[in-house]
Amino acid sequence: MKARVTIMLKDGVLDPQGEAIRHALGGLGFQSVSGVRQGKVIELDLAAGDAEAARAEVARMCEGLLANTVIEKYAVEIV
Amino acid sequence: MKARVTIMLKDGVLDPQGEAIRHALGGLGFQSVSGVRQGKVIELDLAAGDAEAARAEVARMCEGLLANTVIEKYAVEIV
């Protein structure tokens, strides 16, 4: 079973990397881009057979290692 | 209009960052994880009104700046 975790900075948190991308896109002529946020995506191959159990286990991984929940939010998808 | 770009290393390309995450998860007791791949996600706020035009413009941004298409693959979603 595969799980995909998307980790983004929370909405109020400044994202200098996203801002740098927006600036670079503007310099390349993509003026229509008004905002950019960059995050991480982590794809996991899991042995778990049950989707709900897998989702709960991945949430524990996020809380314990993958995400910094002070400044980041995460979303888990089972794919 | 919002677009989300997911950028992952191509399948044959070694992903040491993913491997480090897998190792760390194993050390925390998550033995059921057999493989990890890490990538980037970029969320863009666009002025374009038409979904197809937006998708084409974001694909041009990926080819020109966001992804290294020699070793990375990208997927564009309009959300």
Side-chain angles (χ1 to χ4, degrees), chain A residues 15-56:
Chain A
D15 180 0
Q17 202 169 1
E19 195 50 33
I21 293 170
R22 194 188 62 75
H23 189 77
L25 285 171
L28 287 172
F30 296 107
Q31 302 291 347
S32 66
V33 180
S34 57
V36 179
R37 305 284 284 175
Q38 160 144 22
K40 284 176 283 191
V41 57
I42 299 173
E43 287 186 357
L44 302 154
D45 292 320
L46 296 167
D50 171 31
E52 271 318 298
R55 189 184 294 277

Side-chain angles (χ1 to χ4, degrees), chain B residues 32-63:
Chain B
S32 66
V33 181
S34 58
V36 179
R37 306 282 287 174
Q38 159 142 24
K40 286 175 282 191
V41 57
I42 299 172
E43 287 185 357
L44 302 155
D45 292 320
L46 297 167
D50 171 32
E52 272 317 298
R55 189 182 295 275
E57 186 171 28
V58 174
R60 282 200 304 279
M61 293 178 200
C62 289
E63 296 287 337

Side-chain angles (χ1 to χ4, degrees), chain B:
Chain B
M1 187 169 291
K2 270 188 177 257
R4 176 179 297 161
V5 182
T6 307
I7 301 166
M8 302 291 294
L9 287 167
K10 286 182 179 172
D11 283 340
V13 180
L14 202 68
D15 181 0
Q17 202 169 0
E19 195 50 33
I21 293 170
R22 193 188 62 74
H23 188 77
L25 286 172
L28 286 173
F30 295 108
Q31 302 292 347
S32 66
V33 181
S34 58
V36 179
R37 306 282 287 174
Q38 159 142 24
K40 286 175 282 191
V41 57
I42 299 172
E43 287 185 357
L44 302 155
D45 292 320
L46 297 167
D50 171 32
E52 272 317 298
R55 189 182 295 275
E57 186 171 28
V58 174
R60 282 200 304 279
M61 293 178 200
C62 289
E63 296 287 337
L65 178 76
L66 302 178
N68 174 356
T69 54
V70 177
I71 55 167
E72 291 172 330
K73 59 187 177 183
Y74 63 85
V76 178
E77 282 171 273
I78 304 295
V79 290

